[in-house]
Amino acid sequence: MHRLLLLGCLWLLAAPPVSSIFQRPTGTPAPLRLQYLLEPLHPTVHTQRGATATLPCVLRALPPNYRVKWSKVEPANYRENIIIITNGLYHKNYGPLSPRVRLRHSHRYDASLTITNVALEDEGRYRCQLVNGLEDESISLTLHLEGVVFPYQPSNGRYKFNYHEAKRACEQQDSRLATYQQLYKAWTEGLDWCNAGWILDGTVHYPIINSREPCGGRLLLPGVRTYGARDKQKDRFDAFCFTSALQGSQVYFIRGHLNFKEAGQACRNHGAAIAKVGQLYSAWKFSQLDRCDGGWLADGSVRYPIAIPRERCGGLPDPGVRSFGFPSKEMRTYGTYCFVGK
Protein backbone atom coordinates (compact mmCIF):
# COMPACT_ATOMS: atom_id res chain seq x y z
CA MET A 1 0.00 0.00 0.00
CA HIS A 2 2.81 2.44 0.97
CA ARG A 3 4.58 1.63 -2.28
CA LEU A 4 1.45 2.47 -4.30
CA LEU A 5 1.03 5.78 -2.44
CA LEU A 6 4.68 6.63 -3.09
CA LEU A 7 4.31 5.92 -6.82
CA GLY A 8 1.17 8.06 -6.93
CA CYS A 9 2.92 11.01 -5.28
CA LEU A 10 5.88 10.72 -7.66
CA TRP A 11 3.45 10.74 -10.63
CA LEU A 12 1.75 13.89 -9.32
CA LEU A 13 5.11 15.62 -8.91
CA ALA A 14 6.16 14.67 -12.46
CA ALA A 15 2.83 15.48 -14.10
CA PRO A 16 2.33 18.93 -15.63
CA PRO A 17 -0.20 21.29 -14.04
CA VAL A 18 -3.78 20.62 -15.11
CA SER A 19 -3.97 23.94 -16.92
CA SER A 20 -0.87 23.14 -18.97
CA ILE A 21 -2.37 19.84 -20.17
CA PHE A 22 -4.90 21.84 -22.14
CA GLN A 23 -2.50 24.50 -23.39
CA ARG A 24 -1.97 24.89 -27.14
CA PRO A 25 1.17 23.04 -28.34
CA THR A 26 4.21 25.27 -28.86
CA GLY A 27 4.30 26.73 -32.36
CA THR A 28 0.55 26.28 -33.03
CA PRO A 29 -0.98 29.67 -33.83
CA ALA A 30 -4.16 30.64 -32.02
CA PRO A 31 -7.21 31.01 -34.26
CA LEU A 32 -7.49 34.60 -35.44
CA ARG A 33 -10.38 36.58 -34.08
CA LEU A 34 -12.17 38.96 -36.38
CA GLN A 35 -11.21 42.50 -35.47
CA TYR A 36 -12.83 44.48 -38.27
CA LEU A 37 -15.38 42.16 -39.92
CA LEU A 38 -18.59 41.21 -38.15
CA GLU A 39 -19.52 37.52 -38.06
CA PRO A 40 -22.74 37.10 -40.09
CA LEU A 41 -25.81 36.16 -38.08
CA HIS A 42 -26.85 33.72 -40.82
CA PRO A 43 -23.99 32.25 -42.89
CA THR A 44 -26.46 30.81 -45.43
CA VAL A 45 -28.61 33.10 -47.58
CA HIS A 46 -31.66 31.43 -49.15
CA THR A 47 -33.02 32.77 -52.42
CA GLN A 48 -34.84 31.88 -55.63
CA ARG A 49 -33.79 31.99 -59.24
CA GLY A 50 -34.54 35.39 -60.76
CA ALA A 51 -34.60 37.12 -57.35
CA THR A 52 -32.20 39.67 -55.85
CA ALA A 53 -30.01 38.37 -53.01
CA THR A 54 -27.61 40.15 -50.65
CA LEU A 55 -24.65 38.47 -48.93
CA PRO A 56 -23.84 40.46 -45.75
CA CYS A 57 -20.35 41.78 -45.02
CA VAL A 58 -20.14 44.63 -42.49
CA LEU A 59 -17.09 46.24 -40.88
CA ARG A 60 -16.82 47.31 -37.23
CA ALA A 61 -14.32 50.04 -38.13
CA LEU A 62 -12.43 51.25 -41.19
CA PRO A 63 -8.71 50.44 -41.02
CA PRO A 64 -6.31 52.67 -42.98
CA ASN A 65 -5.56 51.71 -46.60
CA TYR A 66 -7.85 48.70 -46.60
CA ARG A 67 -9.57 46.83 -49.44
CA VAL A 68 -12.50 44.42 -49.43
CA LYS A 69 -12.39 41.58 -51.94
CA TRP A 70 -15.40 39.38 -52.78
CA SER A 71 -14.75 36.01 -54.45
CA LYS A 72 -16.62 32.78 -55.22
CA VAL A 73 -15.39 29.21 -54.95
CA GLU A 74 -16.42 27.36 -58.11
CA PRO A 75 -17.41 23.73 -57.37
CA ALA A 76 -16.46 22.54 -60.85
CA ASN A 77 -12.75 23.27 -60.32
CA TYR A 78 -12.47 24.56 -56.71
CA ARG A 79 -10.93 27.81 -57.94
CA GLU A 80 -11.64 31.06 -56.18
CA ASN A 81 -12.74 33.67 -58.70
CA ILE A 82 -12.69 37.37 -57.81
CA ILE A 83 -16.04 39.14 -58.18
CA ILE A 84 -15.46 42.68 -56.91
CA ILE A 85 -12.77 44.72 -55.11
CA THR A 86 -13.41 48.00 -53.28
CA ASN A 87 -11.41 50.45 -51.18
CA GLY A 88 -14.55 52.03 -49.78
CA LEU A 89 -14.61 54.83 -52.34
CA TYR A 90 -14.15 53.04 -55.64
CA HIS A 91 -14.78 49.50 -56.78
CA LYS A 92 -14.11 47.25 -59.77
CA ASN A 93 -16.12 44.23 -60.93
CA TYR A 94 -14.59 41.05 -62.40
CA GLY A 95 -15.71 37.92 -64.22
CA PRO A 96 -19.05 36.69 -65.59
CA LEU A 97 -20.97 37.90 -62.52
CA SER A 98 -19.81 41.46 -63.20
CA PRO A 99 -23.03 42.78 -64.86
CA ARG A 100 -25.24 41.48 -62.04
CA VAL A 101 -23.34 42.43 -58.88
CA ARG A 102 -22.95 45.61 -56.89
CA LEU A 103 -22.07 46.67 -53.36
CA ARG A 104 -25.10 47.41 -51.21
CA HIS A 105 -23.21 50.19 -49.38
CA SER A 106 -26.16 51.26 -47.25
CA HIS A 107 -23.66 52.98 -44.89
CA ARG A 108 -19.90 53.58 -44.79
CA TYR A 109 -19.20 50.29 -42.99
CA ASP A 110 -21.31 48.19 -45.37
CA ALA A 111 -19.46 46.05 -47.94
CA SER A 112 -22.31 43.57 -48.56
CA LEU A 113 -22.61 42.03 -52.02
CA THR A 114 -25.91 42.24 -53.90
CA ILE A 115 -26.61 39.84 -56.80
CA THR A 116 -29.50 40.65 -59.11
CA ASN A 117 -31.45 38.17 -61.25
CA VAL A 118 -29.97 35.18 -59.40
CA ALA A 119 -29.06 32.32 -61.77
CA LEU A 120 -28.56 28.59 -61.18
CA GLU A 121 -24.78 28.94 -61.39
CA ASP A 122 -24.76 31.57 -58.62
CA GLU A 123 -25.36 28.97 -55.90
CA GLY A 124 -22.28 28.20 -53.85
CA ARG A 125 -19.74 29.52 -51.36
CA TYR A 126 -18.62 33.15 -51.32
CA ARG A 127 -15.84 34.86 -49.39
CA CYS A 128 -15.64 38.46 -48.18
CA GLN A 129 -11.99 39.25 -47.41
CA LEU A 130 -10.66 42.37 -45.74
CA VAL A 131 -7.18 43.00 -47.17
CA ASN A 132 -5.30 45.06 -44.60
CA GLY A 133 -1.61 44.23 -44.71
CA LEU A 134 -0.75 41.69 -42.02
CA GLU A 135 -4.24 41.73 -40.53
CA ASP A 136 -6.23 40.14 -43.36
CA GLU A 137 -9.58 38.69 -42.28
CA SER A 138 -12.36 36.88 -44.13
CA ILE A 139 -15.83 35.43 -43.66
CA SER A 140 -17.53 32.74 -45.74
CA LEU A 141 -21.18 32.70 -46.77
CA THR A 142 -23.28 30.28 -48.79
CA LEU A 143 -25.92 31.26 -51.33
CA HIS A 144 -28.53 28.50 -51.47
CA LEU A 145 -31.23 27.97 -54.09
CA GLU A 146 -34.08 25.60 -53.34
CA GLY A 147 -34.09 23.21 -56.27
CA VAL A 148 -34.65 19.73 -57.59
CA VAL A 149 -32.20 17.17 -59.02
CA PHE A 150 -33.28 14.87 -61.84
CA PRO A 151 -31.50 12.15 -63.85
CA TYR A 152 -31.23 12.74 -67.56
CA GLN A 153 -30.28 10.61 -70.56
CA PRO A 154 -30.69 11.25 -74.30
CA SER A 155 -33.07 9.62 -76.76
CA ASN A 156 -30.47 7.06 -77.92
CA GLY A 157 -30.21 5.34 -74.53
CA ARG A 158 -28.23 5.36 -71.33
CA TYR A 159 -24.52 6.07 -70.84
CA LYS A 160 -24.08 8.21 -73.96
CA PHE A 161 -22.69 11.45 -72.46
CA ASN A 162 -19.10 12.37 -71.84
CA TYR A 163 -18.73 15.10 -69.22
CA HIS A 164 -18.96 18.03 -71.64
CA GLU A 165 -22.00 16.57 -73.40
CA ALA A 166 -23.72 15.98 -70.04
CA LYS A 167 -23.04 19.57 -69.02
CA ARG A 168 -24.47 20.86 -72.30
CA ALA A 169 -27.51 18.55 -72.11
CA CYS A 170 -28.47 19.86 -68.66
CA GLU A 171 -28.11 23.46 -69.83
CA GLN A 172 -30.38 22.73 -72.81
CA GLN A 173 -33.06 21.53 -70.36
CA ASP A 174 -33.06 24.72 -68.25
CA SER A 175 -30.77 23.25 -65.59
CA ARG A 176 -27.10 22.61 -64.85
CA LEU A 177 -25.06 19.66 -63.67
CA ALA A 178 -25.76 19.08 -59.98
CA THR A 179 -23.12 19.46 -57.30
CA TYR A 180 -22.41 16.57 -54.94
CA GLN A 181 -24.18 18.44 -52.12
CA GLN A 182 -27.29 18.84 -54.29
CA LEU A 183 -27.26 15.16 -55.28
CA TYR A 184 -26.78 14.07 -51.67
CA LYS A 185 -29.68 16.24 -50.51
CA ALA A 186 -31.86 14.81 -53.30
CA TRP A 187 -30.96 11.29 -52.11
CA THR A 188 -32.01 12.14 -48.54
CA GLU A 189 -35.32 13.33 -50.02
CA GLY A 190 -35.92 10.06 -51.85
CA LEU A 191 -34.03 10.12 -55.17
CA ASP A 192 -33.39 6.48 -56.12
CA TRP A 193 -31.72 5.88 -59.48
CA CYS A 194 -29.70 2.91 -60.65
CA ASN A 195 -27.87 4.57 -63.57
CA ALA A 196 -24.63 6.41 -62.83
CA GLY A 197 -24.37 10.03 -63.92
CA TRP A 198 -21.93 12.93 -64.14
CA ILE A 199 -22.05 15.78 -61.64
CA LEU A 200 -20.44 19.22 -61.81
CA ASP A 201 -17.00 18.38 -60.40
CA GLY A 202 -16.41 15.65 -62.99
CA THR A 203 -17.11 12.71 -60.69
CA VAL A 204 -19.76 10.03 -61.31
CA HIS A 205 -22.34 8.77 -58.80
CA TYR A 206 -25.74 7.17 -58.40
CA PRO A 207 -28.17 7.45 -55.43
CA ILE A 208 -29.81 4.31 -54.04
CA ILE A 209 -32.61 4.21 -51.47
CA ASN A 210 -33.66 0.57 -52.01
CA SER A 211 -30.69 -1.80 -52.31
CA ARG A 212 -31.27 -4.36 -55.08
CA GLU A 213 -29.38 -6.80 -57.27
CA PRO A 214 -29.05 -4.78 -60.50
CA CYS A 215 -27.78 -1.76 -58.53
CA GLY A 216 -24.71 -3.04 -56.70
CA GLY A 217 -26.45 -5.89 -54.87
CA ARG A 218 -28.71 -6.21 -51.86
CA LEU A 219 -25.83 -6.32 -49.37
CA LEU A 220 -24.63 -2.79 -50.05
CA LEU A 221 -26.20 -0.17 -47.81
CA PRO A 222 -28.29 2.62 -49.31
CA GLY A 223 -26.36 5.77 -50.17
CA VAL A 224 -24.84 7.88 -52.89
CA ARG A 225 -22.51 5.39 -54.54
CA THR A 226 -19.52 6.69 -56.41
CA TYR A 227 -17.34 5.80 -59.38
CA GLY A 228 -15.01 8.67 -58.48
CA ALA A 229 -13.41 11.01 -61.01
CA ARG A 230 -13.60 9.78 -64.60
CA ASP A 231 -12.09 10.78 -67.94
CA LYS A 232 -14.19 13.75 -69.07
CA GLN A 233 -13.60 13.04 -72.74
CA LYS A 234 -13.67 9.25 -73.00
CA ASP A 235 -15.95 7.93 -70.25
CA ARG A 236 -19.70 7.95 -70.84
CA PHE A 237 -22.57 8.05 -68.36
CA ASP A 238 -25.91 9.75 -67.81
CA ALA A 239 -26.25 13.17 -66.14
CA PHE A 240 -27.70 14.46 -62.89
CA CYS A 241 -29.14 17.92 -63.51
CA PHE A 242 -30.21 20.57 -61.01
CA THR A 243 -32.90 23.18 -61.60
CA SER A 244 -34.80 25.69 -59.49
CA ALA A 245 -38.06 27.59 -59.60
CA LEU A 246 -38.06 30.71 -61.77
CA GLN A 247 -40.09 33.60 -60.38
CA GLY A 248 -43.11 34.50 -62.49
CA SER A 249 -43.03 31.37 -64.68
CA GLN A 250 -45.72 28.75 -65.28
CA VAL A 251 -46.01 25.30 -66.86
CA TYR A 252 -49.41 24.13 -68.06
CA PHE A 253 -50.88 21.29 -70.10
CA ILE A 254 -52.71 21.46 -73.45
CA ARG A 255 -54.84 18.41 -74.13
CA GLY A 256 -54.93 16.89 -77.61
CA HIS A 257 -53.68 14.20 -79.96
CA LEU A 258 -50.61 16.00 -81.23
CA ASN A 259 -47.39 14.97 -82.89
CA PHE A 260 -44.19 16.68 -81.74
CA LYS A 261 -44.32 19.48 -84.32
CA GLU A 262 -47.98 20.19 -83.59
CA ALA A 263 -47.23 20.25 -79.85
CA GLY A 264 -44.68 23.01 -80.30
CA GLN A 265 -47.08 25.01 -82.47
CA ALA A 266 -49.91 24.60 -79.94
CA CYS A 267 -47.72 26.22 -77.25
CA ARG A 268 -46.67 29.05 -79.57
CA ASN A 269 -50.33 29.71 -80.40
CA HIS A 270 -50.80 30.47 -76.69
CA GLY A 271 -47.76 32.78 -76.51
CA ALA A 272 -45.67 30.11 -74.79
CA ALA A 273 -42.93 27.62 -75.66
CA ILE A 274 -42.92 23.87 -75.35
CA ALA A 275 -41.58 23.11 -71.86
CA LYS A 276 -38.10 21.75 -71.19
CA VAL A 277 -37.52 18.84 -68.85
CA GLY A 278 -36.08 21.03 -66.10
CA GLN A 279 -39.08 23.34 -66.29
CA LEU A 280 -41.50 20.44 -65.86
CA TYR A 281 -39.53 19.13 -62.86
CA SER A 282 -39.52 22.61 -61.33
CA ALA A 283 -43.30 22.97 -61.78
CA TRP A 284 -43.83 19.52 -60.24
CA LYS A 285 -41.56 20.27 -57.27
CA PHE A 286 -42.50 23.86 -56.47
CA SER A 287 -46.01 24.33 -57.92
CA GLN A 288 -47.24 20.79 -57.20
CA LEU A 289 -48.18 20.31 -60.87
CA ASP A 290 -50.15 17.07 -61.05
CA ARG A 291 -51.38 15.62 -64.36
CA CYS A 292 -52.06 12.06 -65.35
CA ASP A 293 -51.65 12.96 -69.03
CA GLY A 294 -48.49 12.34 -71.00
CA GLY A 295 -47.26 15.41 -72.85
CA TRP A 296 -44.49 16.31 -75.27
CA LEU A 297 -41.44 18.22 -74.03
CA ALA A 298 -38.79 20.17 -75.94
CA ASP A 299 -36.29 17.30 -76.10
CA GLY A 300 -38.82 15.00 -77.81
CA SER A 301 -39.59 13.02 -74.67
CA VAL A 302 -43.07 12.44 -73.24
CA ARG A 303 -43.55 12.80 -69.48
CA TYR A 304 -46.15 13.63 -66.87
CA PRO A 305 -45.87 15.00 -63.29
CA ILE A 306 -47.53 13.24 -60.35
CA ALA A 307 -47.71 15.11 -57.04
CA ILE A 308 -50.36 12.78 -55.55
CA PRO A 309 -49.62 9.12 -56.40
CA ARG A 310 -52.62 7.02 -57.39
CA GLU A 311 -53.20 3.63 -58.96
CA ARG A 312 -54.50 4.79 -62.32
CA CYS A 313 -51.53 7.14 -62.89
CA GLY A 314 -48.67 4.70 -63.16
CA GLY A 315 -49.33 2.90 -59.88
CA LEU A 316 -46.00 3.90 -58.30
CA PRO A 317 -46.20 4.76 -54.59
CA ASP A 318 -44.02 7.91 -54.67
CA PRO A 319 -44.52 11.31 -56.29
CA GLY A 320 -42.37 12.03 -59.33
CA VAL A 321 -42.13 12.90 -62.99
CA ARG A 322 -42.96 9.77 -64.98
CA SER A 323 -41.60 9.14 -68.47
CA PHE A 324 -42.83 7.41 -71.62
CA GLY A 325 -39.35 7.79 -73.09
CA PHE A 326 -38.83 9.16 -76.59
CA PRO A 327 -41.65 7.92 -78.86
CA SER A 328 -41.75 8.61 -82.60
CA LYS A 329 -42.24 12.35 -83.14
CA GLU A 330 -44.95 11.53 -85.69
CA MET A 331 -47.10 9.78 -83.09
CA ARG A 332 -50.39 11.58 -82.38
CA THR A 333 -51.14 10.21 -78.92
CA TYR A 334 -50.17 12.92 -76.45
CA GLY A 335 -50.86 16.49 -75.45
CA THR A 336 -48.11 18.99 -74.63
CA TYR A 337 -46.65 20.87 -71.68
CA CYS A 338 -46.07 24.57 -72.30
CA PHE A 339 -43.85 27.05 -70.48
CA VAL A 340 -44.42 30.76 -70.13
CA GLY A 341 -41.86 32.93 -68.35
CA LYS A 342 -41.99 36.43 -66.99
Side-chain angles (χ1 to χ4, degrees):
M1 176 65 74
H2 293 296
R3 187 177 180 183
L4 287 174
L5 287 172
L6 178 61
L7 287 173
C9 292
L10 289 172
W11 182 88
L12 286 172
L13 289 171
V18 172
S19 61
S20 71
I21 295 174
F22 299 100
Q23 287 177 356
R24 189 176 305 279
T26 304
T28 303
L32 294 176
R33 286 188 174 184
L34 294 175
Q35 295 182 10
Y36 292 101
L37 295 177
L38 289 173
E39 284 282 1
L41 288 175
H42 304 289
T44 299
V45 174
H46 297 266
T47 189
Q48 287 185 313
R49 187 158 53 134
T52 295
T54 297
L55 299 167
C57 184
V58 178
L59 284 71
R60 288 191 179 94
L62 302 179
N65 303 316
Y66 78 95
R67 290 178 299 155
V68 171
K69 179 175 71 174
W70 275 100
S71 55
K72 182 176 187 288
V73 178
E74 297 297 340
N77 51 28
Y78 301 104
R79 291 179 181 172
E80 193 165 312
N81 295 331
I82 297 174
I83 300 170
I84 195 169
I85 296 178
T86 180
N87 64 359
L89 295 175
Y90 308 101
H91 69 272
K92 184 174 181 180
N93 293 14
Y94 297 86
L97 264 174
S98 180
R100 296 189 289 112
V101 296
R102 57 180 170 82
L103 293 170
R104 182 174 64 180
H105 208 63
S106 58
H107 53 79
R108 61 196 296 248
Y109 300 104
D110 185 14
S112 302
L113 183 73
T114 295
I115 304 173
T116 59
N117 194 23
V118 170
L120 289 173
E121 60 268 22
D122 297 343
E123 177 166 289
R125 187 161 61 89
Y126 291 76
R127 187 159 76 112
C128 177
Q129 181 182 12
L130 174 71
V131 182
N132 183 35
L134 297 177
E135 299 180 26
D136 292 359
E137 304 173 10
S138 67
I139 58 172
S140 291
L141 300 113
T142 299
L143 186 66
H144 175 73
L145 277 74
E146 283 298 323
V148 56
V149 172
F150 61 94
Y152 189 75
Q153 59 183 222
S155 59
N156 56 343
R158 73 173 196 160
Y159 293 177
K160 300 296 182 182
F161 295 135
N162 66 24
Y163 172 82
H164 306 287
E165 291 164 345
K167 185 173 183 290
R168 189 160 54 249
C170 287
E171 290 166 356
Q172 289 170 349
Q173 297 308 314
D174 193 45
S175 59
R176 71 190 299 242
L177 279 175
T179 64
Y180 181 82
Q181 290 78 10
Q182 290 163 347
L183 181 63
Y184 184 88
K185 183 174 184 290
W187 169 70
T188 66
E189 294 173 351
L191 182 60
D192 182 278
W193 197 254
C194 202
N195 294 345
W198 294 101
I199 63 171
L200 189 59
D201 64 3
T203 56
V204 174
H205 309 265
Y206 64 103
I208 293 296
I209 297 290
N210 302 305
S211 298
R212 50 202 186 274
E213 285 304 328
C215 307
R218 296 180 182 275
L219 298 181
L220 282 180
L221 292 174
V224 178
R225 298 174 183 167
T226 180
Y227 287 14
R230 312 298 291 190
D231 189 307
K232 292 183 178 181
Q233 290 286 2
K234 296 179 181 178
D235 289 327
R236 295 188 173 271
F237 298 94
D238 292 347
F240 286 105
C241 306
F242 170 83
T243 192
S244 179
L246 181 62
Q247 286 188 334
S249 65
Q250 181 187 9
V251 173
Y252 60 91
F253 181 74
I254 294 179
R255 190 183 299 276
H257 298 282
L258 310 169
N259 64 29
F260 178 70
K261 185 176 180 180
E262 292 166 344
Q265 187 59 53
C267 291
R268 289 190 291 274
N269 291 343
H270 285 76
I274 188 167
K276 298 178 179 180
V277 177
Q279 292 163 349
L280 183 66
Y281 267 92
S282 179
W284 162 73
K285 177 75 172 181
F286 299 105
S287 301
Q288 296 297 297
L289 184 62
D290 184 280
R291 296 282 318 196
C292 208
D293 308 278
W296 291 103
L297 296 177
D299 66 342
S301 65
V302 172
R303 306 175 195 247
Y304 62 102
I306 296 296
I308 304 171
R310 46 209 185 271
E311 188 63 34
R312 64 183 183 85
C313 297
L316 295 176
D318 300 315
V321 175
R322 321 282 196 233
S323 175
F324 287 119
F326 295 84
S328 167
K329 290 184 177 180
E330 300 304 317
M331 186 179 291
R332 283 191 172 92
T333 307
Y334 308 104
T336 184
Y337 288 96
C338 302
F339 172 83
V340 59
K342 59 179 180 179

